[in-house]
């Protein structure tokens, strides 16, 4: 079960509206140049009175201390791209706080390429990552010692701080060596398997080594992209318990298709859909129940709207009939006004009870006209707004491609 939130303090926040698909769909801009597809800003060329131009105002990435975030979205929406941009501080996320340490466990295990090239054993690879923080501090201290700025007061103060951190880190490294052995054992490395060469391991066992390395780093924000890939049920259950009870890092951002793992680990959900991020400070199951309740509420509101539109439609038809039968210009003008009103009739409030604003919300649910004032033809539910095709808690789908285990 997910534990209660431990903190409301924000660990990191930055705008993400410039995020683009690095290797995805490319579009010609009409001037012979190729522009990358914007993932969280659909409106670069829209007229300024349309809501999409303001999409970036509500597209900040916010991570609080102690949160275990589940990043949800349909396949191809850009979840992995977002995680890579956070870790690299590129692709529109250059402003992600530099002081927030991150570590990305990607599906390709890119950070293990050096270990593979050095033909390291499992134990050697894990030990190197256990001491990675100390080695980074030592490298920074060496650069400062050789720098021309060494004599400055600021540089000397930083060197003193680095020496203190290195001394503290060396003690922690020894603790992490012990932790590494426990992690390897928990993920099935027994009977000397930890002495095997990485090159000799299958993809599944390499994934377990990568997971151990990631957990040992204990960054402020650990990014886990499909961490349960290649894990059996016992390893998945072990990982669930470790992340919820023993993990000593700050916050987690997870992408996974394993439904039970997501339900057990996540304390918060972020839905990436329709070029924006939607936040739900609750577990996956609670989020699904909230979405389903909002969809039912929206359905009732739309049903009431249709009744009102039917009454206006009858009134318009009566005026139109009178205008044609008697040649009554006044009735004709009234019928035209009612037709215009009918086309623009939509819900006055959004699913969360806010008064509709075209610039802020963009789409007026239930209206027939598709114009620059923010109306769109047809009925849209809260489920549609989350990316389309979702089911409620009974359907266990929400369009995110979950699978179970066990």
């Amino acid at each position: 079960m997910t534990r209660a939130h431990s903190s409301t303090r924000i660990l990191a926040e930055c705008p993400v509206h410039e995020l683009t698909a690095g290797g995805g769909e490319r579009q010609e801009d009409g001037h012979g140049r190729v522009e990358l597809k914007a993932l969280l800003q659909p409106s670069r060329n829209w007229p300024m009175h349309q809501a999409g131009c303001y999409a970036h105002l509500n597209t900040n990435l916010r991570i609080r201390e102690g949160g275990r975030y589940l990043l949800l979205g349909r396949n191809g929406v850009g979840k992995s791209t977002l995680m890579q941009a956070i870790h690299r501080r590129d692709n529109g996320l250059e402003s992600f706080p530099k002081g927030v340490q991150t570590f990305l466990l990607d599906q390709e295990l890119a950070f293990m390429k050096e270990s593979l090239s050095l033909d390291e054993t499992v134990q050697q690879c894990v030990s190197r990552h256990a001491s990675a923080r100390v080695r980074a501090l030592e490298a920074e201290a060496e650069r400062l010692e050789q720098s021309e700025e060494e004599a400055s007061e600021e540089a000397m103060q930083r060197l003193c701080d680095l020496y203190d951190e290195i001394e503290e880190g060396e003690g922690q490294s020894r603790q992490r060596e012990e932790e590494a052995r426990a992690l390897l054992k928990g993920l099935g490395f027994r009977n000397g398997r930890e002495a095997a060469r990485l090159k000799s391991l299958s993809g599944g066992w390499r994934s377990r080594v990568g997971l151990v390395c990631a957990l040992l780093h204990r960054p402020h924000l650990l990014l886990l992209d499909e961490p349960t890939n290649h894990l059996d049920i016992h390893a998945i259950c072990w990982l669930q318990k470790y992340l919820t009870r023993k993990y000593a890092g700050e916050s987690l951002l997870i992408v996974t298709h394993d439904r039970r793992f997501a339900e057990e680990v996540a304390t918060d959900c972020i839905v990436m859909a329709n070029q924006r991020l939607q936040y739900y400070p609750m577990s996956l199951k609670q989020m699904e129940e909230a979405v389903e309740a909002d969809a039912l509420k929206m359905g009732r509101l739309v049903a009431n709207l249709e009744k009102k539109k039917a009454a206006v439609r009858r009134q318009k038809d009566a005026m139109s009939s009178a205008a044609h039968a008697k040649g009554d210009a006044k009735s004709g003008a009234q019928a035209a006004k009612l037709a215009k009103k009918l086309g623009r009739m939509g819900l006055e409030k959004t699913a969360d009870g806010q008064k509709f604003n075209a610039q802020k919300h963009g789409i007026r649910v239930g209206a027939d006209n598709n114009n620059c004032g923010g109306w769109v033809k047809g009925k849209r539910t809260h489920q549609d707004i989350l990316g389309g095709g979702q089911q409620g808690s009974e359907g266990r789908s929400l369009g995110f491609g979950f699978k179970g285990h066990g």
Side-chain angles (χ1 to χ4, degrees), residues 55-69:
H56 63 282
L57 298 179
N58 294 314
T59 314
N60 276 14
L61 174 69
R62 294 188 302 276
I63 302 293
R64 64 171 180 79
E65 291 182 358
R68 300 194 296 270
Y69 288 84

Side-chain angles (χ1 to χ4, degrees), residues 29 158 249 327 342:
D29 65 3
R158 178 55 182 159
L342 184 62

Side-chain angles (χ1 to χ4, degrees), residues 196-372:
R197 299 285 176 183
L198 283 177
K199 289 182 178 179
S200 69
L201 298 180
S202 65
W205 283 101
R206 286 185 190 179
S207 295
R208 298 183 187 214
V209 176
L211 187 54
V212 171
C213 294
L215 295 174
L216 285 172
H217 273 267
R218 294 186 194 169
H220 295 128
L221 177 59
L222 179 58
L223 308 165
L224 301 177
D225 192 357
E226 299 292 355
T228 61
N229 278 2
H230 309 296
L231 298 185
D232 59 27
I233 181 63
H234 300 292
I236 293 174
C237 290
W238 177 90
L239 181 59
Q240 287 174 186
K241 293 179 180 179
Y242 185 85
L243 290 178
T244 55
R245 300 177 186 179
K246 296 183 179 181
Y247 178 63
E250 273 294 337
S251 302
L252 300 170
L253 181 60
I254 304 169
V255 172
T256 182
H257 284 83
D258 190 313
R259 174 176 190 83
R260 188 176 300 177
F261 177 79
E263 288 179 338
E264 291 293 328
V265 174
T267 60
D268 299 72
C269 297
I270 303 176
V271 178
M272 190 175 181
N274 295 318
Q275 291 80 42
R276 61 192 180 116
L277 302 177
Q278 296 169 270
Y279 292 85
Y280 294 85
M282 59 191 74
S283 67
L284 174 62
K285 184 176 181 180
Q286 291 170 330
M287 186 207 75
E288 289 178 329
E289 292 171 350
V291 168
E292 187 173 10
D294 284 346
L296 292 173
K297 178 183 176 182
M298 184 64 71
R300 291 192 293 269
L301 292 174
V302 170
N304 291 334
L305 172 65
E306 290 302 313
K307 293 179 181 178
K308 294 179 182 178
K309 291 173 70 174
V312 174
R313 191 175 293 110
R314 288 193 296 270
Q315 188 179 1
K316 180 200 67 127
D317 292 343
M319 289 291 182
S320 181
S321 297
H324 284 85
K326 302 178 181 179
D328 187 351
K330 184 176 180 180
S331 295
Q334 287 290 335
K337 289 182 179 179
L338 288 171
K340 186 176 181 180
K341 177 181 179 181
L342 184 62
R344 292 191 169 188
M345 282 183 70
L347 296 183
E348 296 300 321
K349 292 187 177 181
T350 62
D352 55 1
Q354 298 182 30
K355 183 174 177 60
F356 175 81
N357 180 288
Q359 291 183 344
K360 183 177 180 181
H361 300 113
I363 296 175
R364 185 189 292 273
V365 177
D368 294 324
N369 287 352
N370 186 13
N371 57 31
C372 61

Side-chain angles (χ1 to χ4, degrees), residues 7 33 47 49 99 112 116 148 156 160 173 179 187 224 242 254-256 263 287 290 337 387:
S7 173
R33 290 176 286 119
H49 56 269
M112 289 178 59
L116 287 168
E148 296 178 358
M156 291 299 296
C160 291
S173 293
E179 182 183 358
L187 286 171
L224 301 177
Y242 185 85
I254 304 169
V255 172
T256 182
E263 288 179 338
M287 186 207 75
K337 289 182 179 179

Side-chain angles (χ1 to χ4, degrees), residues 107-171:
Q107 298 183 53
E108 291 76 26
L109 301 175
F111 64 92
M112 289 178 59
K113 289 182 179 178
E114 183 177 358
S115 294
L116 287 168
S117 66
L118 295 174
D119 197 22
E120 291 182 339
T121 66
V122 171
Q123 189 62 59
Q124 288 171 336
C125 175
V126 169
S127 296
R128 190 155 60 84
H129 282 274
S131 60
R133 175 62 179 162
V134 172
R135 288 186 289 105
L137 293 172
E138 290 174 342
E140 184 180 352
E142 185 177 355
R143 284 195 301 270
L144 277 176
E145 289 170 355
Q146 297 175 357
S147 171
E148 296 178 358
E149 301 178 1
E150 181 186 358
S152 70
E153 182 177 348
E154 182 179 351
M156 291 299 296
Q157 180 59 49
R158 178 55 182 159
L159 270 174
C160 291
D161 293 340
L162 284 172
Y163 294 144
D164 290 339
E165 291 180 37
I166 290 171
E167 184 178 356
E168 180 182 358
E170 287 174 345

Side-chain angles (χ1 to χ4, degrees), residues 1-13:
M1 297 297 292
T2 56
R3 66 187 178 193
H5 294 171
S6 58
S7 173
T8 57
R9 293 179 56 187
I10 298 298
L11 173 69
E13 180 171 5

